[in-house]
Amino acid sequence: AQKITQTQPGMFVQEKEAVTLDCTYDTSDPSYGLFWYKQPSSGEMIFLIYQGSYDQQNATEGRYSLNFQKARKSANLVISASQLGDSAMYFCAMREQHGSSNTGKLIFGQGTTLQVKP
Amino acid sequence: SAVISQKPSRDICQRGTSLTIQCQVDSQVTMMFWYRQQPGQSLTLIATANQGSEATYESGFVIDKFPISRPNLTFSTLTVSNMSPEDSSIYLCSVEGQGTEAFFGQGTRLTVV
């Protein structure tokens, strides 16, 4: 069965510093997609970044980058130059595959609460 | 990217009543997904809604409790029926983007009293 694990319930970072949020996954499918979302206290889910299993390079989107280590089955999110507005819950997710079929379903980790200190 | 409008954004409901949540997408999509997020928890998929067919429910969720409609390729509703305080959660609809994206509505924060 596919599984996502986030082992950091909470993290603190100083404003303007970089922070890494950990995510490991487990799947036997060779094709999969990994996502990171930000959830502020309002409850909305904000898409941050995507990494495909066959992508040769680590994904980057502005201040967000994904440290993809396929052999270790890890997909850590790196936020550079943290801002106060980055304080939120962060979820790692994997798109479920059944063989060659993409079900479209997302499997989520337990989340990490990030607090940025001024 | 897809823009998803979800209504209501929040509601407080009496136990035993039902609430219907609407999800409108600005483009045609094949699959729509409904998730539940209980307080302090992660997101769990309730069901997948395809236009023109019955929704497919995940283990632990049943149609009598969470009936879903999908009348066309841009709209879906989720009803939370005969509510109890245990149904207090954030409910979110989601659609796929261009294969590398998955978007969510703003969420419905439901409190059952």
Side-chain angles (χ1 to χ4, degrees):
Chain A
Q2 293 164 319
K3 187 178 179 182
I4 291 280
T5 302
Q6 295 178 255
T7 58
Q8 305 156 312
M11 291 281 287
F12 290 91
V13 64
Q14 206 67 37
E15 193 178 8
K16 300 181 184 177
E17 298 288 314
V19 64
T20 297
L21 306 184
D22 294 343
C23 172
T24 58
Y25 59 92
D26 188 21
T27 181
S28 57
D29 286 302
S31 177
Y32 50 88
L34 297 160
F35 299 77
W36 276 93
Y37 289 89
K38 172 184 178 181
Q39 187 180 45
S41 57
S42 60
E44 64 184 309
M45 292 289 284
I46 301 169
F47 168 71
L48 295 178
I49 197 166
Y50 170 86
Q51 181 82 44
S53 58
Y54 294 120
D55 293 344
Q56 295 296 314
Q57 295 189 334
N58 288 342
T60 61
E61 289 287 348
R63 294 187 298 113
Y64 304 107
S65 61
L66 202 151
N67 184 1
F68 182 46
Q69 298 189 39
K70 197 170 182 178
R72 293 186 175 186
K73 292 188 175 180
S74 73
N76 299 338
L77 177 71
V78 180
I79 304 174
S80 62
S82 296
Q83 302 172 355
L84 296 178
D86 293 335
S87 295
M89 177 77 86
Y90 288 81
F91 288 98
C92 181
M94 179 165 57
R95 177 172 281 150
E96 186 186 77
Q97 295 281 135
H98 281 307
S100 60
S101 299
N102 169 15
T103 69
K105 303 175 188 178
L106 294 180
I107 302 163
F108 286 86
Q110 288 305 107
T112 297
T113 300
L114 177 66
Q115 293 191 38
V116 180
K117 294 182 175 181
Chain B
S1 63
V3 177
I4 305 172
S5 175
Q6 184 174 339
K7 297 190 292 188
S9 59
R10 60 176 60 232
D11 208 341
I12 300 173
C13 300
Q14 296 291 324
R15 67 179 67 198
T17 63
S18 297
L19 176 72
T20 296
I21 302 167
Q22 299 179 2
C23 188
Q24 178 76 53
V25 189
D26 68 344
S27 58
Q28 293 184 339
V29 293
T30 303
M31 292 188 287
M32 294 180 73
F33 305 91
W34 288 98
Y35 291 84
R36 180 178 74 179
Q37 185 181 23
Q38 294 178 298
Q41 302 294 314
S42 186
L43 281 75
T44 301
L45 182 66
I46 297 171
T48 302
N50 290 330
Q51 193 267 335
S53 62
E54 294 285 333
T56 303
Y57 289 83
E58 298 299 303
S59 176
F61 298 96
V62 295
I63 187 171
D64 289 346
K65 178 67 175 177
F66 298 102
I68 288 171
S69 78
R70 182 80 201 274
N72 56 52
L73 291 172
T74 63
F75 188 78
S76 179
T77 67
L78 169 75
T79 298
V80 186
S81 302
N82 188 24
M83 290 183 285
S84 67
E86 292 70 34
D87 294 319
S88 297
S89 297
I90 299 174
Y91 293 85
L92 299 116
C93 65
S94 173
V95 303
E96 273 198 305
Q98 297 290 327
T100 63
E101 302 162 320
F103 300 103
F104 285 81
Q106 302 94 324
T108 297
R109 191 181 294 270
L110 171 62
T111 302
V112 183
V113 298

